[in-house]
Structure formats: structure tokens, C-alpha cells
Amino acid sequence: DLPAKTEIVRTVEINGSQRDLYESIRLAAHAAVRKVVKKKGIAASTIDILSALMKLRQVCCDPRLVPVPSARAIEESAKYEALMEMLEEMLPRGRRVLVFSQFTSMLRLISEGLRQRSVRHVSLTGATPDRQAMVDAFQQGRAEVFLISLKAGGAGLNLTRADTVIHYDPWWNPAAQAQATDRAYRIGQTNPVFVYN
């Protein structure tokens, strides 16, 4: 029998210049998508629609992800700040945390923030040469936080030393996200697991 698993949805509201950037990209994307749909039809516009949604998701994660010059000047990131606050509360209590994101560039920003705060962590993306070394470092307690690309770490890992899973950004496929959670919530887990979306 597995211990309890608690799923928590944490709403993060964007404000200020981050919100303004979101609105400007949303309005521009809306106009561009309508134009493309009118010209090509809905079926032929899938790439344009997904591209617009991706930019909006990136703005919500952190404006630094958006390849627009005005975005680079924005220093506010509500979700990034919320994550750092959560970790500052959890880590002193001995929590061991997996952080999943679909954006490897977001994982790099989080890693940089953790380094500045002297938080021991490891990362796993598709470019990681030795996956097992990262897993071993986390499982053996040499890292408190494990940053994982959803595609690279969504399956095949056994991370039962983690008792907290944070999905920094929701994945298109809920089954893939659930499979990522199961890296910690599996046979061998002895602690209750908390999953934050």
C-alpha cells in the first residue's frame, strides 16, 4: 500500500508589467490567429494557434522565456517568486522536492535562482549526459531539489526520496503529467506525497 497523496492547485495571479506583457501578447496573438484562420481555415491554422498559446504559457511562467525585446526588461515573475517562496518554506522542514517543467529554459532560470540561494539541486533534461548520476545524487541526499524536464523525466525514474512534486507549468497531456508525479509516488515510497499544480 502506498501512503497518502495530496494534490493541491496553487493559483498564482500575475500583476504589473508581467500582466501588461501578457495582455499585449494576448491581443496581438488573438488578432494574428483570427487573420490566419480567416485566410486558411481552422484546420490549417493549428500551428499558429499552438504558437500563440505557447507564448502566453511562457509569459505566465516567466517573461524572460518570451523571445520579445520588451519581455527581457520585465523583472517581475509571479510564478517564479511563488516557487521560490514555497521552497524557502519547504526545504527547512526537510522536504525533498521534484520540480517539473516542459521548458528547459525555465529550469535553467530556476537553477540559477537556487544557486544564488545556495540550495543543493540537480537537473535532468534531454541534454543531460548521465541521467543516473543525477538520480543517485538526489536519492542519496546530495541534492534537496531535482529539476526535471517533463519529456526527459516523465517516465523510467524511481525518485522515492521525494515527498513533494511541483508541476511548474501544466502539461498538454494530463496523463503525461500524472506519469511524472508517479516518479515519486510509487512502490518504495514511505512518506505522504504532496503534488502542487
Side-chain angles (χ1 to χ4, degrees):
D1 284 343
L2 288 171
K5 176 172 72 169
T6 305
E7 299 216 24
I8 302 157
V9 175
R10 171 110 187 247
T11 304
V12 178
E13 189 172 334
I14 58 174
N15 294 301
S17 54
Q18 185 180 11
R19 177 74 183 180
D20 295 342
L21 177 66
Y22 181 91
E23 278 304 308
S24 66
I25 289 176
R26 185 186 67 76
L27 291 171
H30 180 73
V33 167
R34 286 178 61 92
K35 191 175 183 180
V36 169
V37 168
K38 187 175 181 181
K39 183 178 178 184
K40 298 198 249 179
I42 191 84
S45 304
T46 306
I47 299 297
D48 299 282
I49 293 167
L50 291 176
S51 175
L53 289 172
M54 185 68 71
K55 279 185 188 156
L56 293 173
R57 289 167 60 87
Q58 289 173 323
V59 172
C60 290
C61 285
D62 194 297
R64 295 174 287 181
L65 297 183
V66 183
V68 175
S70 60
R72 292 189 189 97
I74 296 173
E75 296 180 4
E76 300 167 317
S77 175
K79 197 183 275 193
Y80 176 86
E81 290 162 17
L83 173 68
M84 292 302 166
E85 287 171 13
M86 289 171 67
L87 293 175
E88 285 171 10
E89 292 171 14
M90 293 174 178
L91 297 178
R93 297 194 319 238
R95 303 284 288 278
R96 305 288 308 288
V97 183
L98 306 180
V99 178
F100 286 97
S101 176
Q102 68 172 307
F103 301 111
T104 56
S105 49
M106 188 68 237
L107 294 175
R108 281 192 296 275
L109 292 174
I110 295 169
S111 178
E112 181 183 308
L114 294 177
R115 252 191 309 278
Q116 291 170 358
R117 291 164 176 81
S118 300
V119 173
R120 296 178 307 148
H121 66 284
V122 289
S123 298
L124 176 66
T125 68
T128 303
D130 188 351
R131 291 168 54 98
Q132 194 58 48
M134 300 300 107
V135 171
D136 291 345
F138 183 78
Q139 287 291 97
Q140 293 167 9
R142 296 192 308 268
E144 302 159 294
V145 178
F146 199 162
L147 307 176
I148 306 172
S149 160
L150 197 58
K151 281 187 179 178
L157 299 177
N158 186 356
L159 300 168
T160 53
R161 290 290 303 269
D163 57 12
T164 304
V165 177
I166 298 173
H167 292 286
Y168 189 85
D169 44 275
W171 186 239
W172 302 104
N173 179 350
Q177 190 166 311
Q179 193 174 44
T181 296
D182 289 345
R183 300 312 91 218
Y185 192 67
R186 60 190 306 124
I187 300 298
Q189 178 59 265
T190 57
N191 297 309
V193 174
F194 295 88
V195 182
Y196 294 85
N197 295 297

